[in-house]
Amino acid sequence: MAYLQPPLTIISSDNNDHAKLSSSTTSARHQHSKSSVESFRLPAATWFDEDQTHFVALEERIADPYESRRTSFTSGSLISGFESLITNTTDPDEEESSAEFEVVRYQAFGLPRQNISKVNSNSSSEQRYHPFEDYNILDGGDDMSDDNSQEDLDTSHKTNNLSAFESAAKKAAKEHKNKSLVTEIAVSFQLPSSLANVENREEQSTSGNTDDNTTTDDDTTVMLARRIPILAKFSPMVNGVRYLALQYTPTMIRIAAVEGGQHHNTDKHWTIDISLDPNPIASSPKGLANFDLGSSMTFFNKSRDKENEGIITGTTTIIGGGIIWCKRANNVLDLIVVTTTSVLLYSINNEQMTKTQVVVLEHPSASFWYEPQSKTLVVGSYTSNLPRNLSESISEGMISSENMGRGNASSPTVSFPIAVMSMKTLFFRGDSPTFQTLPTFAVGTLREKTVEDKGKTPSPQARDGSDNVTSDDRSNVEENIIFPTEVSLFNFYGSIYCVEIGSLGNGHGIGLTELDNDSSCIRVRQHKIENLPMNSESVSVGAIDNLLCIISRENKVTHFIDVADIFSDDRRVPHESIKVSELAEGDVSIYDEKISFLAPSYFLNTEDQGLLYQVGISLPLVVKSAPPTACIIPFLLRRKSSKDTIRSFVMERFSAAIEARDLSSLRQWLGVITKQYASNARAAKWDYESTISLLSKSSLVGLDRTADVNTASTVGEVMLPDSSCVETVTQTEMLQMILLPHAMAAVNDRNSEKLRFVSTLSVHYLIELERLFLIPCVALEMLVITLLLKAGEQDELASFLSARETQRTITRRRRQLDLPTNNRLYSENPGAAAFAETLFLIATNSETEPPSSIKKQLISLATVILIECGSTSVAVKCLLTADQISEAIALCSKRSKANKDTAEAKSMGSQAKDFFRVAAKTAKGQKESDRCKSFYHLHCFLKQYDPTCFSLDKRKVKVSRMEDKNKSAFRKDISTVIVEQSVLAHEIRFPDELFSSPQYCRKFRSMFGYAESVK
């Protein structure tokens, strides 16, 4: 929790509901703030609580004209001694009556929950100049992502030579109304005067009248002001009560109940002073804690061994910021106090506070890190990194530590750090007061001395575990020893990572340690970053959108690291950071000294109105900064931007690689994508049901007549899966976003080279899916077949179709033998029947014109699929459409033997006239002898398939009389006569022209029930 130094202050707004972040650097502005609304005056101190993301402010002391008559405030500092903490009064009632108190006010200001304006959220990669998207908290309003505003911003940047950060800030301030910080907590409560106030003495050159709130002592004026705690921290609301922890000394904490419901008692305070007693001592708000009455051990009697409890009298102190509120699973509020020798755990339950746990640290702690979302605490302690015999020699005085590394003949030379930081991990996720731990790990172990470091002597601060090393002292400290400011703790994707800046040799690296509580283990990765400054003051580390952001002010460079890629074992995923540089110089940028970074993702400008910015990732610039061949598709899918925006970037990435014909990179990308896809079962299930509608597009039939095909035209029409599949590129998306648009464009442009490339890419994608035992969707198979056919890859297409039939046969056989198999039958895939019908369409389409061998394979595969799906009647119908009369007759014959109900077969399938029509059509290309055989076999089949078609029936038949020479000029050319012939003969005309022999013609007419020629 950071204490914000002046001139930063918080003043109230006019509506008493918000607070403005401002600076009061001049006396005029200070006076104006004093005369504003009295809801909250200028604060005496301000803190930033990064755990709960709000600013805590203590109101300055309000002058009281009757104070000199009401109080008898004695001089003496609480910090300089313990006199004011210890009460010798033995009567509690007497203590309460004589106690002097005062009301103090604290408020917490948070970020607005809604209407946070986002600048340049959807801008293109060519128009972005900074890796961050700025969220201006004070300047809120409508979204500024339209094209005109972006053009104005870009023009302003070029004209005024402003940085992107400054341009966005000025644009937001110009077009939006101001947004203020929201007052989240506002409390007033009583404190003893010795805790609430402090005396400020000023020397006066002359004596005169004094204010009512001052007293004079010769030439000295004593003024009362608010005592500023070292730390002030609000707790979460638990059981209707909120508490405030105030740290006044390195050993003393005051806990006050400041907000509660009607049935809760808020007139109770507790005091913890680890120099006297680590147990909390209860008192009233007006009184100080009486350690003589409330303590289980007296101040003068140290009968109990405090060292065994993790408290060393006179040594143990609270680490800076080491007061942590933790709301536990069983609705109990814990207060975690991190000291130099232990971690103390206090629980507040049923308005009672008790000390529940003490975690004794093996080595004195130097610093700590806390992640509030996962309730993870990591405590770091300096330990020796020297071999045991060398450490013993140093401790016995045989070797001087000051001579280490100087290369003297009497002392050894070491290139590794002589001290590392040992990290102890505590998880407070369960019920109070339980916690879990992990094995202790070390950071700072991989650092090496540089040539310049070997002559330096480590200062005592670097070896004794102290955390008070200033920037001036840093030049005198060996740079290979890790500092607490070089370590951070973040939550990425629900996992905890400890980040070390300055690892790997001379410090140009990042050490990442994953703390896995579920597996009770740690995982370590090292990442190298070139030219990373060693000065930690010029490097800020934050977490934005689950990315580790390393901001180097010295180099004006921001590095983005995705821990998911760093910890991935897939070498096809890039493990390098994405480096983004500031492209323009301006008066204000995030690299400016005026801009302060507040973890995890806020920038604070203390000038003018004290603007506070919450920033997000600018995907266009990050994508542009990544190498074009790097597989950043998983990186993009993990971002929190809208699905449409992310899918657009994925399309652009693939399109660029396809246009460049970079098949090597695309193969790696497809391998990574299919590996992610294999780990998401819901994505595969969604694909099977959604890709059926893409069958017609995948066939590319009729596309030759389509004009103006755009590879990006389907972005807004892409069917997006639900949130469970958002981090996976499904087969449907691959087809809609990448393969289909480029295939359609290649066909439309008649670009045979691109068509072959897209065909190769599609085949490789299908192979990658099957390599991971995944089932390609029917639309993808259809696209592969169509592309191979249009690209002229007949041999490859023949092999592909043959392999599909063989695979189907093997799978069916293994199923019959109850043998395990990872393959599916076509009948188990949704849309298989539609896929087979589309295959018939391709085989018979005049645009594709497949060779006879390919046509035969397509029809054979489609027939097998339809039969397997139980759609035999559809298969027969499709075979007749494809003029495959023999295959249709053979299929129906088999079905008739298996199913004796021929009436049902006819109702679901083709009729006799369909067979006769196809037979007449195919007979045109046959010899007369073959025609006779075909019609004979057809007659035999129809007698078994549909005997009713030969039944005689008398119907009226229209007969043409055009050839009658004796007809009258007034007679009609057509007459109607009644003819008795078969039902089939009434429905379809007999092809007399196919038979040159009148004998054969009469014979077949008689066989099929046709009457003699009627004229």
Side-chain angles (χ1 to χ4, degrees):
M1 185 166 178
Y3 173 65
L4 304 180
Q5 299 288 346
L8 178 67
T9 62
I10 295 179
I11 61 175
S12 61
S13 60
D14 296 337
N15 58 7
N16 197 21
D17 290 332
H18 301 86
K20 225 182 250 184
L21 205 62
S22 178
S23 65
S24 54
T25 55
T26 62
S27 58
R29 178 173 297 183
H30 184 76
Q31 294 298 330
H32 173 72
S33 300
K34 276 193 171 185
S35 63
S36 63
V37 181
E38 292 294 328
S39 61
F40 191 77
R41 301 168 62 87
L42 282 173
T46 307
W47 299 265
F48 174 64
D49 185 359
E50 64 183 65
D51 293 352
Q52 303 186 39
T53 316
H54 58 214
F55 296 87
V56 179
L58 166 63
E59 186 185 57
E60 68 177 3
R61 188 174 185 275
I62 304 176
D64 187 350
Y66 301 100
E67 180 180 336
S68 59
R69 307 172 194 173
R70 182 172 60 86
T71 63
S72 57
F73 189 84
T74 58
S75 61
S77 174
L78 182 68
I79 300 178
S80 61
F82 301 108
E83 294 79 12
S84 59
L85 292 179
I86 305 173
T87 306
N88 295 324
T89 306
T90 58
D91 187 359
D93 297 332
E94 182 181 352
E95 174 190 359
E96 296 293 339
S97 61
S98 61
E100 297 293 344
F101 69 91
E102 193 163 315
V103 176
V104 295
R105 300 188 64 191
Y106 281 86
Q107 289 197 16
F109 302 92
L111 304 179
R113 300 299 181 186
Q114 298 176 353
N115 297 330
I116 301 178
S117 68
K118 183 166 71 172
V119 182
N120 303 335
S121 61
N122 298 322
S123 56
S124 63
S125 58
E126 292 80 6
Q127 295 173 324
R128 288 309 306 236
Y129 295 93
H130 196 271
F132 296 111
E133 292 174 348
D134 305 317
Y135 291 73
N136 193 339
I137 300 304
L138 292 184
D139 295 333
D142 298 330
D143 197 352
M144 292 176 53
S145 59
D146 57 281
D147 296 335
N148 294 333
S149 61
Q150 176 57 37
E151 292 177 0
D152 295 341
L153 178 61
D154 190 40
T155 303
S156 172
H157 165 80
K158 294 179 180 178
T159 304
N160 302 325
N161 195 30
L162 301 177
S163 65
F165 184 84
E166 186 175 7
S167 299
K170 290 182 179 295
K171 188 71 174 179
K174 179 181 179 181
E175 297 189 5
H176 297 285
K177 297 180 180 179
N178 287 340
K179 248 337 195 185
S180 300
L181 296 176
V182 179
T183 302
E184 294 185 347
I185 305 171
V187 296
S188 300
F189 58 97
Q190 299 172 345
L191 276 181
S193 296
S194 57
L195 291 180
N197 302 322
V198 67
E199 293 182 0
N200 289 335
R201 297 176 178 270
E202 295 183 1
E203 299 293 334
Q204 299 290 331
S205 58
T206 58
S207 61
N209 295 331
T210 61
D211 297 334
D212 292 335
N213 65 329
T214 61
T215 59
T216 59
D217 185 8
D218 297 333
D219 295 332
T220 302
T221 301
V222 179
M223 302 181 63
L224 298 182
R226 280 285 177 255
R227 183 185 297 276
I228 299 177
I230 299 174
L231 184 63
K233 207 166 189 179
F234 282 103
S235 75
M237 185 76 76
V238 177
N239 296 326
V241 183
R242 189 187 304 277
Y243 299 90
L244 177 64
L246 303 171
Q247 180 187 356
Y248 285 99
T249 72
T251 59
M252 194 271 278
I253 308 171
R254 177 92 171 192
I255 297 96
V258 295
E259 189 177 358
Q262 182 179 0
H263 304 289
H264 298 282
N265 181 20
T266 58
D267 295 333
K268 180 178 287 189
H269 288 198
W270 294 276
T271 302
I272 301 173
D273 195 330
I274 58 177
S275 64
L276 301 176
D277 190 352
N279 296 294
I281 306 300
S283 65
S284 67
K286 301 178 182 180
L288 295 170
N290 191 334
F291 283 82
D292 290 340
L293 293 179
S295 176
S296 59
M297 63 184 80
T298 63
F299 178 68
F300 301 101
N301 183 16
K302 302 297 186 297
S303 58
R304 298 179 60 182
D305 189 0
K306 288 189 177 182
E307 191 169 0
N308 294 333
E309 300 177 358
I311 303 296
I312 303 176
T313 306
T315 301
T316 301
T317 59
I318 301 173
I319 296 180
I323 300 175
I324 304 169
W325 289 108
C326 181
K327 184 178 179 180
R328 302 299 290 272
N330 54 349
N331 211 24
V332 174
L333 183 64
D334 284 353
L335 178 66
I336 304 171
V337 180
V338 185
T339 71
T340 54
T341 57
S342 60
V343 177
L344 307 177
L345 183 64
Y346 299 87
S347 295
I348 301 179
N349 192 15
N350 296 326
E351 301 179 3
Q352 298 295 325
M353 185 175 186
T354 56
K355 179 165 67 73
T356 56
Q357 292 282 355
V358 177
V359 181
V360 181
L361 302 177
E362 184 178 356
H363 303 281
S365 59
S367 186
F368 78 96
W369 300 265
Y370 182 71
E371 204 290 309
Q373 184 177 357
S374 61
K375 300 180 177 61
T376 303
L377 175 68
V378 177
V379 183
S381 305
Y382 281 108
T383 59
S384 174
N385 193 40
L386 298 176
R388 177 175 299 180
N389 56 353
L390 190 58
S391 300
E392 293 175 355
S393 301
I394 295 177
S395 60
E396 295 174 0
M398 299 174 60
I399 300 178
S400 174
S401 60
E402 285 77 8
N403 293 328
M404 292 289 297
R406 294 185 179 181
N408 296 340
S410 59
S411 61
T413 301
V414 294
S415 59
F416 51 85
I418 64 173
V420 297
M421 189 172 288
S422 178
M423 312 293 276
K424 186 176 184 63
T425 307
L426 304 175
F427 295 99
F428 299 94
R429 297 179 181 177
D431 295 339
S432 178
T434 61
F435 60 90
Q436 297 80 38
T437 61
L438 282 183
T440 303
F441 65 97
V443 295
T445 57
L446 299 182
R447 299 171 179 237
E448 295 180 0
K449 293 182 180 180
T450 60
V451 178
E452 295 79 10
D453 294 330
K454 293 183 179 180
K456 296 180 181 179
T457 302
S459 64
Q461 291 91 336
R463 292 190 307 251
D464 63 2
S466 174
D467 195 18
N468 302 320
V469 181
T470 63
S471 57
D472 296 334
D473 298 329
R474 189 177 180 88
S475 60
N476 298 324
V477 182
E478 285 188 335
E479 293 184 354
N480 67 330
I481 297 180
I482 190 171
F483 282 78
T485 54
E486 298 171 338
V487 179
S488 304
L489 194 69
F490 294 109
N491 188 328
F492 298 123
Y493 308 110
S495 300
I496 309 305
Y497 294 86
C498 179
V499 181
E500 173 194 353
I501 303 296
S503 178
L504 291 180
N506 56 5
H508 295 178
I510 306 297
L512 298 170
T513 304
E514 181 183 3
L515 310 179
D516 191 345
N517 184 33
D518 297 332
S519 303
S520 299
C521 66
I522 61 174
R523 301 179 182 89
V524 181
R525 293 290 188 275
Q526 296 292 333
H527 178 74
K528 187 175 183 180
I529 297 181
E530 298 292 342
N531 302 322
L532 184 66
M534 288 297 297
N535 185 7
S536 60
E537 293 182 356
S538 65
V539 177
S540 300
V541 183
I544 304 175
D545 193 7
N546 284 319
L547 291 178
L548 177 63
C549 303
I550 303 174
I551 305 169
S552 174
R553 298 179 184 272
E554 182 177 326
N555 297 337
K556 295 187 177 181
V557 170
T558 302
H559 296 270
F560 295 95
I561 299 176
D562 193 342
V563 294
D565 291 337
I566 298 298
F567 281 82
S568 175
D569 295 329
D570 193 346
R571 304 311 302 175
R572 296 169 296 188
V573 176
H575 291 68
E576 296 79 15
S577 61
I578 299 179
K579 175 181 176 182
V580 180
S581 303
E582 180 74 31
L583 302 181
E585 297 291 340
D587 295 336
V588 179
S589 71
I590 65 167
Y591 306 109
D592 197 283
E593 295 181 355
K594 308 170 187 176
I595 304 298
S596 300
F597 180 77
L598 299 179
S601 59
Y602 304 99
F603 287 97
L604 179 63
N605 183 3
T606 57
E607 288 191 343
D608 299 329
Q609 292 298 315
L611 295 178
L612 177 69
Y613 300 91
Q614 181 183 10
V615 297
I617 300 299
S618 173
L619 281 181
L621 189 57
V622 172
V623 172
K624 185 178 180 180
S625 302
T629 59
C631 181
I632 63 171
I633 309 301
F635 170 90
L636 293 174
L637 296 175
R638 288 189 288 265
R639 306 286 63 84
K640 295 180 180 179
S641 301
S642 65
K643 294 181 180 179
D644 291 338
T645 302
I646 292 177
R647 265 55 184 182
S648 298
F649 289 127
V650 173
M651 283 187 61
E652 293 176 4
R653 196 79 174 173
F654 267 97
S655 297
I658 290 175
E659 295 301 329
R661 306 293 189 266
D662 188 0
L663 186 59
S664 176
S665 299
L666 288 171
R667 283 180 175 176
Q668 292 186 359
W669 297 3
L670 292 177
V672 174
I673 290 174
T674 52
K675 185 178 180 180
Q676 278 192 323
Y677 180 77
S679 62
N680 194 331
R682 295 191 63 178
K685 182 179 179 181
W686 182 82
D687 265 331
Y688 297 147
E689 300 173 356
S690 61
T691 56
I692 303 175
S693 60
L694 299 177
L695 272 173
S696 59
K697 283 188 176 181
S698 299
S699 65
L700 303 179
V701 175
L703 192 62
D704 292 336
R705 297 184 296 271
T706 304
D708 299 330
V709 177
N710 186 0
T711 57
S713 61
T714 59
V715 176
E717 304 172 1
V718 174
M719 295 183 293
L720 297 178
D722 55 22
S723 57
S724 63
C725 311
V726 69
E727 294 185 6
T728 304
V729 177
T730 62
Q731 296 184 50
T732 305
E733 293 173 305
M734 277 292 297
L735 286 169
Q736 285 187 291
M737 295 190 306
I738 300 162
L739 299 179
L740 272 176
H742 286 279
M744 294 165 64
V747 172
N748 184 72
D749 298 337
R750 303 186 184 278
N751 189 339
S752 58
E753 179 190 0
K754 184 175 182 179
L755 191 63
R756 286 192 295 269
F757 184 85
V758 178
S759 173
T760 304
L761 184 64
S762 302
V763 171
H764 183 77
Y765 180 49
L766 186 141
I767 293 174
E768 282 292 327
L769 290 171
E770 293 188 333
R771 188 177 60 85
L772 298 176
F773 303 104
L774 300 172
I775 307 299
C777 63
V778 290
L780 177 59
E781 285 196 56
M782 178 58 61
L783 181 62
V784 169
I785 293 172
T786 307
L787 288 175
L788 289 175
L789 183 60
K790 286 186 173 291
E793 303 289 345
Q794 298 181 10
D795 294 339
E796 188 172 354
L797 177 57
S799 300
F800 178 80
L801 295 174
S802 177
R804 308 315 274 181
E805 284 199 60
T806 303
Q807 183 182 22
R808 177 257 175 195
T809 304
I810 294 174
T811 302
R812 182 173 57 87
R813 185 58 178 164
R814 293 182 68 88
R815 292 285 184 88
Q816 292 174 349
L817 299 175
D818 292 332
L819 297 176
T821 177
N822 292 315
N823 297 324
R824 282 193 186 190
L825 294 173
Y826 275 104
S827 58
E828 300 172 350
N829 291 340
F835 170 69
E837 292 186 66
T838 311
L839 286 179
F840 272 109
L841 177 63
I842 294 177
T844 58
N845 187 265
S846 59
E847 295 179 2
T848 53
E849 296 181 357
S852 58
S853 58
I854 298 297
K855 180 179 180 179
K856 185 177 180 180
Q857 283 187 290
L858 290 172
I859 292 176
S860 175
L861 177 61
T863 304
V864 169
I865 294 174
L866 287 173
I867 295 174
E868 188 178 289
C869 294
S871 302
T872 306
S873 58
V874 179
V876 172
K877 190 175 182 179
C878 292
L879 285 171
L880 293 177
T881 305
D883 299 336
Q884 303 294 314
I885 182 65
S886 301
E887 288 78 3
I889 291 175
L891 183 58
C892 287
S893 300
K894 292 180 181 178
R895 183 180 180 185
S896 298
K897 293 179 181 178
N899 187 3
K900 301 301 182 181
D901 190 359
T902 57
E904 181 183 356
K906 288 183 295 181
S907 64
M908 298 298 293
S910 302
Q911 299 179 4
K913 62 180 180 180
D914 299 323
F915 288 91
F916 193 88
R917 183 183 298 109
V918 175
K921 181 180 178 181
T922 55
K924 293 179 181 180
Q926 296 176 345
K927 298 179 181 180
E928 188 168 359
S929 59
D930 295 333
R931 293 172 188 169
C932 294
K933 293 180 182 179
S934 298
F935 274 87
Y936 178 77
H937 289 138
L938 177 61
H939 178 265
C940 297
F941 165 72
L942 291 180
K943 285 180 64 177
Q944 182 183 6
Y945 180 74
D946 187 10
T948 60
C949 69
F950 297 112
S951 301
L952 296 179
D953 187 18
K954 291 182 179 181
R955 297 182 186 180
K956 293 182 180 180
V957 178
K958 293 181 181 181
V959 179
S960 175
R961 297 188 178 275
M962 295 292 293
E963 299 178 357
D964 190 355
K965 299 180 180 180
N966 299 322
K967 72 175 181 176
S968 173
F970 299 98
R971 292 177 60 187
K972 296 181 179 179
D973 295 336
I974 299 177
S975 62
T976 303
V977 295
I978 297 177
V979 178
E980 184 181 18
Q981 56 184 1
S982 66
V983 175
L984 177 63
H986 282 297
E987 293 179 350
I988 189 169
R989 187 186 69 85
F990 188 84
D992 295 316
E993 66 278 2
L994 295 179
F995 300 94
S996 60
S997 172
Q999 181 181 359
Y1000 289 156
C1001 184
R1002 286 193 300 269
K1003 178 66 175 177
F1004 283 111
R1005 287 181 68 91
S1006 175
M1007 289 174 60
F1008 287 98
Y1010 283 84
E1012 295 293 335
S1013 300
V1014 181
K1015 296 183 179 180

